[in-house]
Each structure stands twice: as C-alpha cells, then as structure tokens.
Amino acid sequence: MTRSATSVRFAAVGDIHVTKDSAGTLRSFFTQACESVDALLLCGDLTDYGTAEEAKVLADELAGVSIPVVAVLGNHDYESGTPEVVVDVLTKAGVRVLDGAACEIEGVGIAGAKGFAGGFGRGSLGAWGEPVIKLFVKEAQNEVMKLEAALAKLRTPRRIALLHYSPIAGTVEGEPMDIFPFLGSSRLEEPLLRYPVDAVFHGHAHRGTLEAKTINGVPVYNVAKPLLQRKRPGEPPFRLFEVPREG
Ligand SMILES: [Fe+2]
Ligand SMILES: [Fe+2]
C-alpha cells in the first residue's frame, strides 16, 4: 500500500447487501478499495437479511483487508431481528462497528450511528398523536443522541460522521419523493451543526444523489454502492476521501 505522508485517506461505500451467494465476489473489490487508503468505511446494509451466515460471508470477504475497517449497520442488518449477531461476527473479524461510538484512525476521529427515518425539513414527522407515532419519532431521536454522543467524544481536529440514513434531503433527491421520509431525517443534521465534521458518509438511498451539503456547508456523500455504480459507470464503486494528516 502506498500511504500518503501528507494526508489520511479513506475509501467509503455502503449498501453492499452481502448474501450467502456473495462468497468470493467481493474480495477483489475490497482489495482495490483498500489499495492506497488508511481505512475502509462501510455505511450500513452490510448484509441483505442480517443473518449470521451473511455476516460470516462478509467477514470472509474482508479477510484479506489489512487496514482498519469501520462500519455502521443499516436497516437490512436488522431484518432478522438479531443485529447483535451481525455485530458479533464482524467484530470478531476485526471490524469496528460503531453504534453511537467513536474511534480514531491516524488522528482522524470517526463518529458512527445508523440513524433513522422521519423525513426532512417541514416534512419531518412530529411526535404527536398515536403512541406508535411517538415511538417512531423517539427512535429517530435516540439515533440523533447516539450520533451526538459519538461526536462529543472526539477531540481530533479532523472528524468524519458515518451513517446509514441521510441527514439531509439533498443526497436522497432522485428517489421517488413519496419515500423521502423513509430515507433519512433532518434531525440527524442537528448534531452535525453543533459538532462540525469534515465530511458525512451515508448510504440507504440507492437512487439518490452522490453529493450535497449540510446547511453549515459540510459535504455529505451518499456512497450507496448501487448509486455509485449507476452514476459513475466504469469507475470503482467506492468514494475516496482524504484529509490533511495532522502533525
Ligand atoms: Fe441498502
Ligand atoms: Fe438501507
């Protein structure tokens, strides 16, 4: 690997949706993604149904990766009702799965949480009326608190936020408007205003937009693999990002 002396480099991708049939299909992709970077960032929907079997396939595919791998889960990783099994398998394989937690790669802080749905701006669902609506909004608020707690832990001058759901509408544009409320929540943008970061990565919106900005100008990258493949044909489906190396 040719590391840079002046910058810390990351490769980011989400929505790999590993199935039991994915064995052997992702190794060269991961090798290529990790060629000249310091860490690999995975933005959720790591598996298709959240089974132990799928997580093991992903762990095997990552076996040749020798740089740190940092991940958050996506909604698909919850489908079988056992996200802790996915976390356990991946953690044993050396992946750092962040769920309201933070870690540091070469002096760059990374805060990670899955996030949740609820809609954007004036279309955001409010905690009003039936208990189940309040529960739904509460879940979004819990994820916001997780992201905030993770960001608050970081003392590094350079910071990255890792999510599955989008914190802004800009990177889900391209999807049918009817499903915007299920693709992310503006509530997730609030901690990013209080704790500014260098970049936000998310997935989930397979037909969204590659790049937009928060209201305080932070770049937000939708790195859903199907989106990268569709929007950048001929280019490898991951996004490279670098920040100046401190010290
Ligand atoms: Fe996905
Ligand atoms: Fe998703």
Side-chain angles (χ1 to χ4, degrees):
M1 189 186 82
T2 45
R3 274 170 150 186
S4 164
T6 54
S7 61
V8 185
R9 292 169 172 167
F10 298 91
V13 64
D15 301 84
I16 294 165
H17 288 267
V18 166
T19 69
K20 58 182 172 29
D21 300 321
S22 301
T25 64
L26 288 165
R27 281 169 209 183
S28 59
F29 166 67
F30 285 136
T31 305
Q32 189 185 19
C34 299
E35 230 163 38
S36 58
V37 300
D38 296 279
L40 175 65
L41 309 176
L42 299 176
C43 293
D45 284 358
L46 311 170
T47 63
D48 214 18
Y49 284 87
T51 64
E53 190 181 14
E54 290 175 345
K56 281 175 191 150
V57 171
L58 176 56
D60 285 347
E61 296 299 292
L62 286 168
V65 174
S66 56
I67 56 171
V69 182
V70 184
V72 295
L73 296 188
N75 54 317
H76 277 250
D77 304 309
Y78 277 71
E79 172 56 20
S80 295
T82 53
E84 69 281 1
V85 171
V86 177
V87 172
D88 187 51
V89 170
L90 294 176
T91 303
K92 282 177 179 151
V95 178
R96 294 178 215 185
V97 185
L98 304 180
D99 178 20
C103 69
E104 215 179 299
I105 304 284
E106 308 270 329
V108 180
I110 300 172
K114 173 178 63 65
F116 196 59
F120 301 97
R122 292 179 64 190
S124 293
L125 183 65
W128 200 90
E130 298 93 324
V132 71
I133 296 290
K134 290 175 179 164
L135 207 60
F136 187 96
V137 174
K138 180 82 184 149
E139 181 65 16
Q141 289 166 336
N142 285 344
E143 290 293 323
V144 172
M145 283 192 282
K146 282 184 183 180
L147 175 62
E148 176 141 5
L151 288 166
K153 282 179 199 140
L154 293 175
R155 295 287 176 269
T156 53
R158 297 288 178 172
R159 294 175 295 276
I160 286 172
L162 216 57
L163 291 163
H164 181 61
Y165 287 85
S166 178
I168 60 169
T171 47
V172 307
E173 274 165 20
E175 295 274 6
M177 268 195 98
D178 310 13
I179 65 165
F180 271 32
F182 309 117
L183 299 173
S185 166
S186 290
R187 294 175 197 276
L188 292 165
E189 191 178 21
E190 293 161 16
L192 297 167
L193 305 179
R194 284 191 286 277
Y195 298 92
V197 295
D198 290 90
V200 182
F201 296 94
H202 74 85
H204 192 49
H206 293 202
R207 293 184 168 272
T209 294
L210 288 173
E211 188 179 344
K213 280 187 164 64
T214 62
I215 52 177
N216 57 337
V218 171
V220 178
Y221 300 106
N222 180 346
V223 292
K225 191 163 174 261
L227 178 69
L228 289 165
Q229 284 168 322
R230 193 179 313 109
K231 293 275 173 122
R232 307 193 313 186
E235 281 186 60
F238 50 83
R239 180 176 278 276
L240 292 173
F241 182 76
E242 62 183 353
V243 296
R245 196 178 281 276
E246 295 293 325

PDB file of all heavy atoms in Angstrom, residues 116 127 134 136-146 187:
ATOM      1  N   PHE A 116     -31.852   7.070  11.448  1.00  0.00           N
ATOM      2  CA  PHE A 116     -33.213   6.554  11.300  1.00  0.00           C
ATOM      3  C   PHE A 116     -33.988   7.468  10.355  1.00  0.00           C
ATOM      4  O   PHE A 116     -33.482   8.490   9.883  1.00  0.00           O
ATOM      5  CB  PHE A 116     -33.896   6.479  12.671  1.00  0.00           C
ATOM      6  CG  PHE A 116     -35.136   5.616  12.706  1.00  0.00           C
ATOM      7  CD1 PHE A 116     -35.073   4.271  12.362  1.00  0.00           C
ATOM      8  CD2 PHE A 116     -36.366   6.153  13.079  1.00  0.00           C
ATOM      9  CE1 PHE A 116     -36.213   3.482  12.383  1.00  0.00           C
ATOM     10  CE2 PHE A 116     -37.508   5.362  13.108  1.00  0.00           C
ATOM     11  CZ  PHE A 116     -37.433   4.025  12.765  1.00  0.00           C
ATOM     12  N   ALA A 127     -43.615  14.182  16.945  1.00  0.00           N
ATOM     13  CA  ALA A 127     -44.065  13.249  17.988  1.00  0.00           C
ATOM     14  C   ALA A 127     -45.425  13.699  18.507  1.00  0.00           C
ATOM     15  O   ALA A 127     -45.541  14.342  19.552  1.00  0.00           O
ATOM     16  CB  ALA A 127     -43.036  13.195  19.113  1.00  0.00           C
ATOM     17  N   LYS A 134     -45.338   8.382  18.210  1.00  0.00           N
ATOM     18  CA  LYS A 134     -44.376   8.911  19.193  1.00  0.00           C
ATOM     19  C   LYS A 134     -43.178   7.966  19.321  1.00  0.00           C
ATOM     20  O   LYS A 134     -42.035   8.408  19.478  1.00  0.00           O
ATOM     21  CB  LYS A 134     -45.059   9.110  20.542  1.00  0.00           C
ATOM     22  CG  LYS A 134     -46.045  10.257  20.512  1.00  0.00           C
ATOM     23  CD  LYS A 134     -46.818  10.380  21.805  1.00  0.00           C
ATOM     24  CE  LYS A 134     -47.771  11.567  21.706  1.00  0.00           C
ATOM     25  NZ  LYS A 134     -48.814  11.543  22.723  1.00  0.00           N
ATOM     26  N   PHE A 136     -42.032   5.990  16.976  1.00  0.00           N
ATOM     27  CA  PHE A 136     -41.250   6.127  15.746  1.00  0.00           C
ATOM     28  C   PHE A 136     -40.307   7.340  15.857  1.00  0.00           C
ATOM     29  O   PHE A 136     -39.110   7.244  15.585  1.00  0.00           O
ATOM     30  CB  PHE A 136     -42.215   6.314  14.559  1.00  0.00           C
ATOM     31  CG  PHE A 136     -41.548   6.301  13.209  1.00  0.00           C
ATOM     32  CD1 PHE A 136     -41.497   5.136  12.453  1.00  0.00           C
ATOM     33  CD2 PHE A 136     -40.988   7.455  12.681  1.00  0.00           C
ATOM     34  CE1 PHE A 136     -40.882   5.127  11.193  1.00  0.00           C
ATOM     35  CE2 PHE A 136     -40.369   7.455  11.429  1.00  0.00           C
ATOM     36  CZ  PHE A 136     -40.319   6.286  10.689  1.00  0.00           C
ATOM     37  N   VAL A 137     -40.870   8.465  16.294  1.00  0.00           N
ATOM     38  CA  VAL A 137     -40.059   9.681  16.425  1.00  0.00           C
ATOM     39  C   VAL A 137     -39.013   9.507  17.523  1.00  0.00           C
ATOM     40  O   VAL A 137     -37.876   9.955  17.391  1.00  0.00           O
ATOM     41  CB  VAL A 137     -40.961  10.905  16.691  1.00  0.00           C
ATOM     42  CG1 VAL A 137     -40.129  12.152  16.978  1.00  0.00           C
ATOM     43  CG2 VAL A 137     -41.876  11.143  15.491  1.00  0.00           C
ATOM     44  N   LYS A 138     -39.400   8.788  18.579  1.00  0.00           N
ATOM     45  CA  LYS A 138     -38.462   8.531  19.678  1.00  0.00           C
ATOM     46  C   LYS A 138     -37.256   7.754  19.167  1.00  0.00           C
ATOM     47  O   LYS A 138     -36.115   8.011  19.572  1.00  0.00           O
ATOM     48  CB  LYS A 138     -39.196   7.748  20.781  1.00  0.00           C
ATOM     49  CG  LYS A 138     -38.358   7.405  21.982  1.00  0.00           C
ATOM     50  CD  LYS A 138     -38.280   8.581  22.941  1.00  0.00           C
ATOM     51  CE  LYS A 138     -37.350   8.269  24.095  1.00  0.00           C
ATOM     52  NZ  LYS A 138     -36.676   9.465  24.594  1.00  0.00           N
ATOM     53  N   GLU A 139     -37.501   6.813  18.282  1.00  0.00           N
ATOM     54  CA  GLU A 139     -36.403   6.019  17.710  1.00  0.00           C
ATOM     55  C   GLU A 139     -35.445   6.934  16.936  1.00  0.00           C
ATOM     56  O   GLU A 139     -34.215   6.798  17.040  1.00  0.00           O
ATOM     57  CB  GLU A 139     -36.974   4.935  16.779  1.00  0.00           C
ATOM     58  CG  GLU A 139     -35.944   4.020  16.136  1.00  0.00           C
ATOM     59  CD  GLU A 139     -35.186   3.149  17.130  1.00  0.00           C
ATOM     60  OE1 GLU A 139     -35.643   3.014  18.288  1.00  0.00           O
ATOM     61  OE2 GLU A 139     -34.121   2.619  16.754  1.00  0.00           O
ATOM     62  N   ALA A 140     -36.003   7.870  16.182  1.00  0.00           N
ATOM     63  CA  ALA A 140     -35.156   8.829  15.453  1.00  0.00           C
ATOM     64  C   ALA A 140     -34.355   9.671  16.440  1.00  0.00           C
ATOM     65  O   ALA A 140     -33.156   9.904  16.244  1.00  0.00           O
ATOM     66  CB  ALA A 140     -36.022   9.716  14.558  1.00  0.00           C
ATOM     67  N   GLN A 141     -35.025  10.110  17.495  1.00  0.00           N
ATOM     68  CA  GLN A 141     -34.326  10.941  18.489  1.00  0.00           C
ATOM     69  C   GLN A 141     -33.213  10.156  19.183  1.00  0.00           C
ATOM     70  O   GLN A 141     -32.157  10.711  19.486  1.00  0.00           O
ATOM     71  CB  GLN A 141     -35.331  11.482  19.518  1.00  0.00           C
ATOM     72  CG  GLN A 141     -36.244  12.555  18.929  1.00  0.00           C
ATOM     73  CD  GLN A 141     -37.447  12.869  19.797  1.00  0.00           C
ATOM     74  OE1 GLN A 141     -37.878  12.036  20.607  1.00  0.00           O
ATOM     75  NE2 GLN A 141     -38.000  14.046  19.624  1.00  0.00           N
ATOM     76  N   ASN A 142     -33.455   8.874  19.425  1.00  0.00           N
ATOM     77  CA  ASN A 142     -32.413   8.030  20.045  1.00  0.00           C
ATOM     78  C   ASN A 142     -31.172   7.975  19.162  1.00  0.00           C
ATOM     79  O   ASN A 142     -30.040   8.043  19.652  1.00  0.00           O
ATOM     80  CB  ASN A 142     -32.919   6.595  20.255  1.00  0.00           C
ATOM     81  CG  ASN A 142     -33.870   6.502  21.423  1.00  0.00           C
ATOM     82  OD1 ASN A 142     -33.941   7.410  22.246  1.00  0.00           O
ATOM     83  ND2 ASN A 142     -34.618   5.406  21.483  1.00  0.00           N
ATOM     84  N   GLU A 143     -31.401   7.830  17.858  1.00  0.00           N
ATOM     85  CA  GLU A 143     -30.264   7.760  16.932  1.00  0.00           C
ATOM     86  C   GLU A 143     -29.530   9.104  16.867  1.00  0.00           C
ATOM     87  O   GLU A 143     -28.308   9.133  16.720  1.00  0.00           O
ATOM     88  CB  GLU A 143     -30.733   7.316  15.542  1.00  0.00           C
ATOM     89  CG  GLU A 143     -31.166   5.854  15.478  1.00  0.00           C
ATOM     90  CD  GLU A 143     -29.998   4.877  15.694  1.00  0.00           C
ATOM     91  OE1 GLU A 143     -28.881   5.152  15.224  1.00  0.00           O
ATOM     92  OE2 GLU A 143     -30.209   3.838  16.343  1.00  0.00           O
ATOM     93  N   VAL A 144     -30.284  10.197  16.967  1.00  0.00           N
ATOM     94  CA  VAL A 144     -29.663  11.529  16.996  1.00  0.00           C
ATOM     95  C   VAL A 144     -28.769  11.648  18.227  1.00  0.00           C
ATOM     96  O   VAL A 144     -27.634  12.129  18.156  1.00  0.00           O
ATOM     97  CB  VAL A 144     -30.745  12.640  16.995  1.00  0.00           C
ATOM     98  CG1 VAL A 144     -30.111  14.012  17.229  1.00  0.00           C
ATOM     99  CG2 VAL A 144     -31.498  12.630  15.679  1.00  0.00           C
ATOM    100  N   MET A 145     -29.281  11.160  19.368  1.00  0.00           N
ATOM    101  CA  MET A 145     -28.494  11.229  20.610  1.00  0.00           C
ATOM    102  C   MET A 145     -27.239  10.369  20.510  1.00  0.00           C
ATOM    103  O   MET A 145     -26.181  10.733  21.008  1.00  0.00           O
ATOM    104  CB  MET A 145     -29.352  10.815  21.802  1.00  0.00           C
ATOM    105  CG  MET A 145     -30.300  11.916  22.238  1.00  0.00           C
ATOM    106  SD  MET A 145     -31.073  11.599  23.810  1.00  0.00           S
ATOM    107  CE  MET A 145     -32.328  10.419  23.359  1.00  0.00           C
ATOM    108  N   LYS A 146     -27.370   9.225  19.832  1.00  0.00           N
ATOM    109  CA  LYS A 146     -26.192   8.368  19.637  1.00  0.00           C
ATOM    110  C   LYS A 146     -25.134   9.092  18.811  1.00  0.00           C
ATOM    111  O   LYS A 146     -23.952   9.077  19.140  1.00  0.00           O
ATOM    112  CB  LYS A 146     -26.593   7.073  18.915  1.00  0.00           C
ATOM    113  CG  LYS A 146     -27.263   6.047  19.803  1.00  0.00           C
ATOM    114  CD  LYS A 146     -27.510   4.782  18.998  1.00  0.00           C
ATOM    115  CE  LYS A 146     -28.250   3.750  19.803  1.00  0.00           C
ATOM    116  NZ  LYS A 146     -28.495   2.527  19.016  1.00  0.00           N
ATOM    117  N   ARG A 187     -33.389  15.551  11.565  1.00  0.00           N
ATOM    118  CA  ARG A 187     -32.952  15.576  12.973  1.00  0.00           C
ATOM    119  C   ARG A 187     -31.480  15.191  13.085  1.00  0.00           C
ATOM    120  O   ARG A 187     -30.776  15.647  13.981  1.00  0.00           O
ATOM    121  CB  ARG A 187     -33.789  14.600  13.806  1.00  0.00           C
ATOM    122  CG  ARG A 187     -35.240  14.989  13.928  1.00  0.00           C
ATOM    123  CD  ARG A 187     -36.028  13.902  14.671  1.00  0.00           C
ATOM    124  NE  ARG A 187     -37.452  14.051  14.466  1.00  0.00           N
ATOM    125  CZ  ARG A 187     -38.232  14.852  15.174  1.00  0.00           C
ATOM    126  NH1 ARG A 187     -37.716  15.567  16.132  1.00  0.00           N
ATOM    127  NH2 ARG A 187     -39.521  14.935  14.913  1.00  0.00           N
TER     128      ARG A 187
END
